[in-house]
Amino acid sequence: MTRTSTAPTSAARPRRPARSSKTPGTGRPVAGTLAVAGYVVMIVPILFVVATAFTGGRTLTFPPQGFSLQWFEKAVTYAPFTGALVSSLQLAVLATVIALAVGVPVTLAIHRGRLPGKGLIEGMFLSPLIVPELVVGLALYQQLMIGFGLANFPTLLIGHTALMMPYAVRVTGASLALADPSLEEAARGLGASPVRAFFTVTLPLLRPGIFSAALLSFVTSFNNVPLSLLLQSRDFRTLPVTMLDYVQQSYDPMVAAMATLILAATVVVAVVAERTVGFAKIFGGINK
């Protein structure tokens, strides 16, 4: 009698998947090159402006002619710039507060309510991101200022609030999407009223998103040019438009110094917000 071998043959053994010889990132050289080129296009002009702000010369030239802080001193003491800065801060704060006051309830209604046509409602509030700002400004000018005789500042405030609405709805909605709905249900199950459940459970969950939306809205409103250029008046002028008018009349580095100060303030606020709130966590929920 012959014995039959029960050992598995080499043909019956499962084959291990072949290891790829490519290292991560080597298969996408074009994407990496385009990314580097994009960073260069965005950052290099900013570096030119910052370097020009420290020049000791009297004109906007690169490379800078020496080193001096004289243009920063002139920028912070120039009356049209300081007055326009106060106006821009007032407008940005009011537009941000109104946008959040409207956008947060809309976000709750979209994500927690039972509204018919939620996608249509959300798309309506996100539409200012698609429509050009010049078109929005022209429509507001024709309908509100000419048609209803509304003053410049209320019209400008309505326009800025409309532009801020997508940030309030989308970013706050991302924060709400990351929250656990069972926490709200538990609070309601323990006898909390809808108002108390909102202030004790929902609002703390929304706080990072609200803070991020407020920061984005404020920066966008403060730096807006097209809408402010169409709707502002002689008595109320924003800082970016005032700087644009100054560049058309003068060619000294004072505008570069003011732009550098605004850039530095924006970077400081963004770093503080990232350390305290964490933009990566909030914006990571936008695509979910």
Side-chain angles (χ1 to χ4, degrees), residues 20 39 97 100 119 135 158 180 188 196 210 214 257:
S20 176
Y39 282 116
V97 171
L100 290 176
V135 176
I158 293 174
D180 189 0
R188 296 290 298 274
R196 186 174 182 181
I210 293 176

Side-chain angles (χ1 to χ4, degrees), residues 7-99:
T9 61
S10 59
R13 295 177 181 175
R15 295 182 179 179
R16 297 180 179 178
R19 295 182 179 179
S20 176
S21 59
K22 295 182 179 180
T23 58
T26 58
R28 295 179 295 177
V30 177
T33 303
L34 292 177
V36 173
Y39 282 116
V40 170
V41 170
M42 291 187 296
I43 295 177
V44 170
I46 298 177
L47 296 179
F48 285 164
V49 173
V50 173
T52 307
F54 292 93
T55 183
R58 302 185 61 85
T59 58
L60 284 168
T61 57
F62 189 87
Q65 302 174 0
F67 178 83
S68 175
L69 298 177
Q70 60 175 333
W71 297 111
F72 290 94
E73 181 182 358
K74 293 180 179 180
V76 298
T77 57
Y78 185 59
F81 281 177
T82 56
L85 174 61
V86 175
S87 299
S88 294
L89 292 175
Q90 293 175 349
L91 179 62
V93 169
L94 288 176
T96 300
V97 171
I98 297 174

Side-chain angles (χ1 to χ4, degrees), residues 17 39 49 54 59 70 73 95 109 112 134 136 152 160 167 186 207 215-216 238 242 251 254:
Y39 282 116
V49 173
F54 292 93
T59 58
Q70 60 175 333
E73 181 182 358
R112 293 290 190 265
L134 290 175
V136 176
N152 292 84
H160 276 241
Y167 300 103
R207 189 175 295 132
L215 182 59
L216 286 175
T238 60
T242 303
Y251 202 65
M254 188 163 62

Side-chain angles (χ1 to χ4, degrees), residues 169-190:
V169 174
R170 194 69 173 121
V171 179
T172 308
S175 180
L176 188 61
L178 295 174
D180 189 0
S182 61
L183 297 177
E184 304 174 37
E185 298 175 359
R188 296 290 298 274
L190 292 175

Side-chain angles (χ1 to χ4, degrees), residues 223-244:
N223 294 322
N224 180 269
V225 172
L227 196 65
S228 302
L229 186 63
L230 284 174
L231 301 179
Q232 72 178 6
S233 63
R234 293 183 178 180
D235 300 330
F236 189 91
R237 301 179 66 84
T238 60
L239 182 59
V241 178
T242 303
M243 294 171 62
L244 180 62

